[in-house]
């Protein structure tokens, strides 16, 4: 029976999924299906199989499984491999186990192109080997958070999935350098890899990847504390098409690595160096000299950066849209002045904990092209010199949607109120400590304490 087949293929929780996640379109075909139980129903007579298959191709996993229960004809069509080219099982991560993946793999075969098993912690190497063997044309696979997989999975992908373009093994704690070595040997067309929080990966694995996958465009290694300057330099030398690099928390990276990236990877568009505390203005100057297409720069916690580096960037990186400068404690209003002049597309700017920023810097920013036309998010948390005057300046920023003002102690409720009067749709995040109750006088008993007022 169709129901038995589905039970083998997908967890029961998929069949009883929360109705809130079912769209109006899905509801419509469920109603329609009630009229189609007969194999000779009009819809089966009027519509050719090819058209029904095309309709089914727009449905998700749950919807296809429900259609498969309508009739024998619909069961065949709904479970046709051509409808299962793209599968995302994240919503069922707690229910998906090995047999589910194996059955899906056999059904999809060569049709499957993309699969996301993000967070499916019960899936292991055996079922993923079956997936690799059955689905040789897979191009995208997300295994982020699949804690049970080891290097064996990467070796299977290397052996059977030669067309693999994107691999996410972030937070797979049992993966080591052997995985990257296997991928480099068998998947030369790889363009994207995520190895974030993989503590077992060192510079040796990254060097192997760089030599074997020269078409790499995206490299994400957040929290890889064993990443070194040598590894990133090798990546820059061999993977010159890199456009996206995330080294968040790779705190051993030095200027030399970023300078080599700048010199060799001129197509760089997104760069995250957050908490790479050894970096100095030298690497920013190199980026400014070579990477004119850079549109996102995240350098939160890079406490050695100064106005010099951002002055250089503002002169050449005119496509910049997002900058996170949180805890770049040495920058001053000069940085804002130059960004206002040189980055007309800036949409998102974080200056949290930049304690030298004043109202004058915000004034320069608010009168620029970027502020009046594009600036949508501005974070000023813990900027102690910012006052209500800054909010007055920001009235000119007609596209501003969100502003963060936590612990800006010179900002008042009245200042925020005036800003909202001119920009009623703006989302203001601020905190005001509760007023301490006055001390009791005479013999009268105090009815509440300060703790109660805060609570």
């Amino acid at each position: 029976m169709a129901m038995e087949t589905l039970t083998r293929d997908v967890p029961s929780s998929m069949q009883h999924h929360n109705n809130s996640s079912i769209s109006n379109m899905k509801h419509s075909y469920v109603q329609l299906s009630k009229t189609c139980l007969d194999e000779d129903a009009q819809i089966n007579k009027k519509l050719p199989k090819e058209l029904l298959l095309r309709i089914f191709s727009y449905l998700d996993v749950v919807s296809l499984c429900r259609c498969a229960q309508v009739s024998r004809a619909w069961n065949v069509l709904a479970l046709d491999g051509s409808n299962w080219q793209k599968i995302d099982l994240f919503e069922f991560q707690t229910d998906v186990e090995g047999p589910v993946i194996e059955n899906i793999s056999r059904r999809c075969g060569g049709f499957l192109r993309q699969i996301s098993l993000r967070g499916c912690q019960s899936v292991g190497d055996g079922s993923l080997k079956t997936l690799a063997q059955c689905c040789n044309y897979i191009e995208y696979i997300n295994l982020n958070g699949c804690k049970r997989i080891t290097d064996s999975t990467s070796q299977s992908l290397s052996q059977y999935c030669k067309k693999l373009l994107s691999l996410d093994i972030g937070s797979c704690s049992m993966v080591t350098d052997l995985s990257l070595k296997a991928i480099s040997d068998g998947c030369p067309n790889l363009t994207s890899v995520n190895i974030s929080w993989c503590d077992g990966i060192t510079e040796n694995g990254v060097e192997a990847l760089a030599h074997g996958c020269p078409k790499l465009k995206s490299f994400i290694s957040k929290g890889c504390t064993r990443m070194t300057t040598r590894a990133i330099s090798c990546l820059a030398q061999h993977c010159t098409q890199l456009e996206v690099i995330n080294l968040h928390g790779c705190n051993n990276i030095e200027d030399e690595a970023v300078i080599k990236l700048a010199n060799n990877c001129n197509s760089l568009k997104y760069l995250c160096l957050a908490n790479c505390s050894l970096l100095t203005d030298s690497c920013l100057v190199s980026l400014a000299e070579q990477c004119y297409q850079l549109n996102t720069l995240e350098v939160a916690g890079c406490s050695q950066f100064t106005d010099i580096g951002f002055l250089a960037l503002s002169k050449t990186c005119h496509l910049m849209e997002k900058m996170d400068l949180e805890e770049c404690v040495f920058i001053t209003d000069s940085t804002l002045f130059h960004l206002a002049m040189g980055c007309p597309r800036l949409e998102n700017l974080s200056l949290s904990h930049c304690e030298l920023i004043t109202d004058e810097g915000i004034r320069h920013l608010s009168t620029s092209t970027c502020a009046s036309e594009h600036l949508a998010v501005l974070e000023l948390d813990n900027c102690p010199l910012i006052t209500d005057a800054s909010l007055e300046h920001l009235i000119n920023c007609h596209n501003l949607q969100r502003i963060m003002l936590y612990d800006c102690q010179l900002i008042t409720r009245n200042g925020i109120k005036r800003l909202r009067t001119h920009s009623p749709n703006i989302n203001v995040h601020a905190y005001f400590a509760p007023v301490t109750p006055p001390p009791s006088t005479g013999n009268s008993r105090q009815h509440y304490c300060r703790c109660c007022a805060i609570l």
Side-chain angles (χ1 to χ4, degrees):
M1 294 176 63
M3 178 64 75
E4 294 175 351
T5 301
L6 291 171
T7 303
R8 289 196 302 270
D9 288 341
V10 294
S12 59
S13 62
M14 290 187 188
Q15 300 167 30
H16 304 287
H17 192 254
N18 193 325
N19 288 336
S20 63
S21 66
I22 308 300
S23 67
N24 292 331
M25 182 185 73
K26 299 171 191 172
H27 178 73
S28 298
Y29 77 69
V30 169
Q31 296 298 320
L32 177 65
S33 67
K34 294 179 181 178
T35 66
C36 303
L37 294 174
D38 186 356
E39 293 296 324
D40 295 326
Q42 287 297 313
I43 191 171
N44 295 329
K45 291 180 177 179
K46 297 289 185 181
L47 294 181
K49 291 182 178 179
E50 293 79 10
L51 185 53
L52 282 172
L53 276 174
R54 183 62 182 270
I55 294 172
F56 287 164
S57 70
Y58 291 98
L59 303 181
D60 61 15
V61 174
V62 176
S63 308
L64 285 169
C65 290
R66 291 184 173 181
C67 284
Q69 299 176 56
V70 171
S71 67
R72 292 178 182 175
W74 277 36
N75 180 275
V76 173
L77 294 174
L79 299 185
D80 187 272
S82 63
N83 293 321
W84 298 72
Q85 298 182 40
K86 191 180 203 180
I87 300 175
D88 187 349
L89 299 179
F90 175 70
E91 291 187 48
F92 317 104
Q93 55 181 292
T94 58
D95 303 294
V96 172
E97 296 180 352
V100 175
I101 304 304
E102 293 170 14
N103 286 328
I104 288 178
S105 301
R106 296 187 183 99
R107 178 199 307 154
C108 297
F111 287 106
L112 187 63
R113 294 293 184 273
Q114 301 182 28
I115 186 168
S116 176
L117 302 176
R118 181 164 63 101
C120 298
Q121 298 191 27
S122 297
V123 174
D125 293 327
S127 54
L128 288 172
K129 181 176 182 180
T130 301
L131 175 72
Q133 290 174 329
C134 296
C135 307
N136 302 129
Y137 294 99
I138 195 166
E139 297 175 351
Y140 170 97
I141 183 165
N142 187 339
L143 302 174
N144 196 302
C146 296
K147 304 287 188 180
R148 294 182 59 186
I149 70 168
T150 69
D151 296 324
S152 177
T153 289
S154 297
Q155 291 164 355
S156 297
L157 292 173
S158 172
Q159 182 177 357
Y160 299 106
C161 303
K162 304 297 183 180
K163 296 183 180 296
L164 190 65
L165 299 177
S166 177
L167 173 65
D168 188 339
I169 50 175
S171 299
C172 295
S173 53
M174 299 174 68
V175 165
T176 72
D177 290 336
L178 294 178
S179 284
L180 296 191
K181 179 64 170 64
I183 294 299
S184 69
D185 290 339
C187 305
N189 295 317
L190 194 73
T191 60
S192 175
V193 65
N194 183 358
I195 57 171
S196 299
W197 315 108
C198 292
D199 297 332
I201 291 181
T202 71
E203 62 181 17
N204 296 327
V206 176
E207 289 180 5
L209 183 73
H211 284 95
C213 302
K215 298 180 181 179
L216 206 61
K217 292 186 177 182
S218 176
F219 178 78
I220 301 175
S221 61
K222 294 185 290 185
C224 293
T225 55
R226 300 174 72 179
M227 199 62 56
T228 64
T229 296
R230 174 181 161 186
I232 302 304
S233 298
C234 183
L235 200 66
Q237 180 180 352
H238 296 281
C239 304
T240 57
Q241 299 179 50
L242 278 167
E243 297 179 359
V244 174
I245 301 178
N246 192 325
L247 303 176
H248 184 124
C250 300
N251 49 22
N252 293 317
I253 301 299
E254 298 172 315
D255 286 337
E256 179 187 348
V258 181
I259 291 173
K260 287 196 175 181
L261 284 173
N263 291 338
N264 296 332
C265 306
N266 302 144
S267 298
L268 200 60
K269 296 178 181 177
Y270 172 97
L271 178 61
C272 178
L273 301 171
N275 294 318
C276 296
S277 55
L278 300 180
L279 300 178
T280 71
D281 286 331
S282 297
C283 66
L284 295 185
V285 172
S286 293
L287 289 170
E289 293 174 347
Q290 303 289 340
C291 300
Y292 306 139
Q293 298 184 50
L294 194 64
N295 60 45
T296 300
L297 179 65
E298 299 177 359
V299 291
C302 295
S303 55
Q304 296 191 58
F305 289 164
T306 71
D307 294 330
I308 296 174
F310 297 111
L311 166 61
L313 285 171
S314 68
K315 289 182 177 180
T316 58
C317 298
H318 304 308
L319 302 180
M320 195 72 72
E321 297 178 357
K322 178 181 178 181
M323 296 186 76
D324 184 353
L325 312 184
E326 181 176 350
E327 293 186 343
C328 293
V329 294
F330 289 128
I331 66 171
T332 69
D333 293 337
S334 176
T335 288
L336 296 190
F337 175 77
H338 293 295
L339 291 180
M341 297 292 290
C343 301
R345 299 189 180 186
L346 198 59
E347 298 178 0
N348 190 315
L349 178 62
S350 176
L351 300 168
S352 300
H353 294 272
C354 296
E355 299 183 355
L356 301 181
I357 298 297
T358 72
D359 295 331
E360 184 65 12
I362 302 301
R363 184 183 71 81
H364 283 301
L365 185 68
S366 64
T367 57
S368 65
T369 302
C370 73
S372 60
E373 297 181 7
H374 300 289
L375 189 64
V377 177
L378 180 62
E379 298 180 5
L380 296 171
D381 304 320
N382 290 276
C383 292
L385 302 181
I386 295 297
T387 72
D388 288 346
S390 287
L391 302 187
E392 293 286 346
H393 299 318
L394 292 173
I395 290 174
N396 298 322
C397 303
H398 306 297
N399 197 46
L400 193 61
Q401 300 172 17
R402 187 174 82 243
I403 182 170
M404 313 288 284
L405 297 169
Y406 291 115
D407 290 320
C408 294
Q409 299 185 14
L410 299 181
I411 295 292
T412 68
R413 296 179 190 273
N414 288 334
I416 294 176
K417 185 177 180 180
R418 285 193 296 271
L419 177 63
R420 280 180 168 156
T421 299
H422 291 85
S423 305
N425 296 323
I426 192 172
N427 192 351
V428 180
H429 295 257
Y431 171 78
F432 294 96
V435 178
T436 303
S440 58
T441 59
N443 295 324
S444 61
R445 181 179 177 184
Q446 188 174 355
H447 295 289
Y448 52 84
C449 66
R450 185 168 184 264
C451 297
C452 295
I454 294 174
L455 295 174

